[in-house]
């Protein structure tokens, strides 16, 4: 048994699969097994992976049929893992050499965590560096932030295998909802990671390494690029569902988080901006009860307070005050830039379907 099992789903990934696998082979942590999940590839992926398997005995490959969804393949891959830790990896990204070492150190230093993610560098289809994204690392802040955005990057995730499996969670369905008698949310091919790891965040089980650990490839064929609007709407639904789980788990009232969300570093149009301040006051009070009046929670709420208006001068004034006490992370800075840009171009923001408190 290896110390870390890595699962790498791939479908028609001949362009980048060799680089992705070799980034695993170059890790400073050497005790690992890589399982490549070949999801009905029709190009040269299988031949490339077979060659890598011959080159390094720690690499294995398993074939899956086209009738399976992406969630099915990922769930099957995790079921194959028996190492103490399971690492996720996409077939078009490249891990930095210290990735495993840093994530193992975090999980061993904080035995209560089930998930460790991390920051990442963004590259284009040719591998040229574009920018970087740093994410919150404090578990309390992550639990709060998960209601409003996705603060864990899916391809950076490492899981504590046994604890994760004991919770009975899986891609595509919110199993935690069943525990509380809530109708489970089900997804097929989009935003499954946000729903899955948001359940861990509700339980306070997520952390992030505070430095980049991965090179994330952004290219025209990426799912997140081709389906941005659909993912924005799904993310709003997931935020509301996660709030249902928070209300049930912590015994607090449900409030709609969507007016204060910044999925994709963008705001949703609010149909009742005149009472946004009052709704934020109610939301803030509930989250302090749920997650505690602690530094990580206060830090996250401070930025959400900036977004509790749709008046541009007021937003910028609040953000200026915010900057006197806090350094903005990548998503926060990007959100403010997009608010200003949308105002200058008069580009309409997306409206999330309205929803009242669940029965």
């Amino acid at each position: 048994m290896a110390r870390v099992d890595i699962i790498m789903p791939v479908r028609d990934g001949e362009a980048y699969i060799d680089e992705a696998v070799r980034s695993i082979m170059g890790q400073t942590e050497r005790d690992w097994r890589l399982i490549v999940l070949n999801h009905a590839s029709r190009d040269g992926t299988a031949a490339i992976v077979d060659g890598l398997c011959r080159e390094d005995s720690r690499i294995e490959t398993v074939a899956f049929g086209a009738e399976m969804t992406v969630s099915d393949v990922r769930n099957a891959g995790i079921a194959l893992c028996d190492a103490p830790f399971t690492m996720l990896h996409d077939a078009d990204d490249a891990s930095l050499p210290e990735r495993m070492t840093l994530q193992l150190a975090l999980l061993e230093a904080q035995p209560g965590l089930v998930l460790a993610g991390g920051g990442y560098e963004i590259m284009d289809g040719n591998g040229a560096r574009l920018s970087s994204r740093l994410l919150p690392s404090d578990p309390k802040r992550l639990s709060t932030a998960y209601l409003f955005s996705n603060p864990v990057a899916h391809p950076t995730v490492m899981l504590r295998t046994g604890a994760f499996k004991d919770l009975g969670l899986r891609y595509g369905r919110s199993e935690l909802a069943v525990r509380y008698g809530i109708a489970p949310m089900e997804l097929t091919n989009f935003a499954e990671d946000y729903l899955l790891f948001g359940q861990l965040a509700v339980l306070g089980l997520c952390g992030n390494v505070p430095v980049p650990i991965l090179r994330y490839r952004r290219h025209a064929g990426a799912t997140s690029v081709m389906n941005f609007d659909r993912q924005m709407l799904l993310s709003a639904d997931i935020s509301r569902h996660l709030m249902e789980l928070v209300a049930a788990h912590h015994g607090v009232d449900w409030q709609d988080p969507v007016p204060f969300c910044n999925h994709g570093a963008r705001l949703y149009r609010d149909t009742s901006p005149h009472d946004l301040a009052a709704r934020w006051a109610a939301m803030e009070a509930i989250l302090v009860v749920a997650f505690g009046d602690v530094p990580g929670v206060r830090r996250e709420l401070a930025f959400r307070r900036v977004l509790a208006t749709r008046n541009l001068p007021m937003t910028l004034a609040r953000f200026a005050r915010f900057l006197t006490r806090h350094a903005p992370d990548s998503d926060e800075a990007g959100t403010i830039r997009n608010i200003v840009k949308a105002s200058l171009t008069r580009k309409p923001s997306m409206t999330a379907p309205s929803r009242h408190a669940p029965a």
Side-chain angles (χ1 to χ4, degrees):
M1 179 192 301
R3 189 181 186 196
V4 182
D5 279 336
I6 307 108
I7 59 168
M8 184 182 291
V10 59
R11 187 166 193 173
D12 297 335
E14 63 180 5
Y16 305 119
I17 185 69
D18 184 81
E19 180 182 357
V21 171
R22 291 191 185 280
S23 77
I24 300 298
M25 296 166 68
Q27 291 291 298
T28 54
E29 170 63 46
R30 307 301 296 166
D31 189 6
W32 51 263
R33 174 180 63 151
L34 170 61
I35 309 172
V36 178
L37 312 174
N38 189 351
H39 189 190
S41 293
R42 296 163 296 179
D43 61 0
T45 295
I48 294 170
V49 173
D50 287 344
L52 291 164
C53 289
R54 290 191 294 271
E55 186 176 337
D56 193 321
S57 62
R58 295 172 295 179
I59 303 170
E60 303 174 4
T61 184
V62 181
F64 294 90
E67 74 282 358
M68 298 182 71
T69 67
V70 175
S71 290
D72 291 337
V73 172
R74 292 189 185 278
N75 288 330
I78 290 175
L80 294 171
C81 297
D82 57 13
F85 302 97
T86 295
M87 191 173 98
L88 311 183
H89 205 294
D90 287 348
D92 50 1
D93 298 332
S95 284
L96 296 176
E98 294 285 334
R99 174 184 173 175
M100 280 191 219
T101 299
L102 291 170
Q103 291 187 289
L104 288 169
L106 175 60
L107 289 169
E108 289 172 346
Q110 300 190 49
L113 296 182
V114 174
L115 179 153
Y120 58 91
E121 298 175 354
I122 301 171
M123 59 179 170
D124 65 17
N126 297 318
R129 186 181 183 279
L130 300 175
S131 61
S132 62
R133 185 182 180 212
L134 296 180
L135 296 160
S137 57
D138 177 82
K140 284 288 189 179
R141 185 182 168 198
L142 282 171
S143 291
T144 312
Y146 246 108
L147 294 172
F148 307 107
S149 65
N150 189 348
V152 169
H154 183 222
T156 71
V157 164
M158 181 181 284
L159 300 166
R160 198 182 303 274
T161 308
F164 180 78
K165 289 184 175 181
D166 288 346
L167 288 167
L169 303 183
R170 62 189 178 94
Y171 286 94
R173 178 181 164 93
S174 57
E175 298 295 342
L176 190 59
V178 178
R179 181 186 303 180
Y180 296 112
I182 298 169
M185 188 174 188
E186 299 192 17
L187 302 174
T188 52
N189 289 317
F190 301 104
E192 307 100 320
D193 60 308
Y194 182 36
L195 178 62
L196 174 58
F197 301 137
Q199 296 170 77
L200 290 176
V202 167
L203 301 175
L205 303 177
C206 298
N208 272 326
V209 175
V211 296
I213 57 174
L214 180 88
R215 301 187 73 218
Y216 169 79
R217 194 181 305 273
R218 179 179 292 167
H219 54 93
T223 299
S224 58
V225 173
M226 294 189 295
N227 300 282
F228 181 81
D229 288 351
R230 182 174 180 183
Q231 294 208 76
M232 284 285 287
L233 292 174
L234 273 176
S235 295
D237 287 340
I238 295 169
S239 288
R240 287 166 167 157
H241 184 73
L242 293 177
M243 186 65 211
E244 288 186 64
L245 299 182
V246 168
H249 182 70
H250 294 283
V252 297
D253 293 334
W254 185 90
Q255 293 286 329
D256 188 1
V258 169
F260 318 106
C261 288
N262 63 325
H263 293 294
R266 288 167 173 80
L267 297 185
Y268 298 90
R269 183 186 301 122
D270 192 77
T271 56
S272 303
H274 59 279
D275 64 350
L276 203 56
R279 282 183 282 155
W280 172 249
M283 171 68 81
E284 186 170 12
I286 283 169
L287 295 182
V288 168
V289 171
F291 297 116
D293 188 8
V294 295
V297 175
R298 290 196 297 270
R299 167 62 180 81
E300 183 61 30
L301 297 180
F303 182 71
R304 298 299 146 191
R305 198 175 301 121
V306 172
L307 304 183
T309 178
R310 291 300 182 268
N311 178 280
L312 179 60
M314 188 176 294
T315 298
L316 296 179
R318 290 180 179 182
F319 188 58
R321 289 195 296 272
F322 172 84
L323 292 177
T324 65
R325 301 188 62 182
H326 306 287
D329 62 32
S330 304
D331 287 357
E332 291 170 340
T335 298
I336 299 301
R337 285 195 299 270
N338 283 331
I339 290 172
V340 173
K341 182 179 178 181
S343 177
L344 293 175
T345 60
R346 297 187 178 182
K347 182 179 180 181
S349 54
M350 180 176 292
T351 301
S354 61
R355 179 179 167 188
H356 299 292

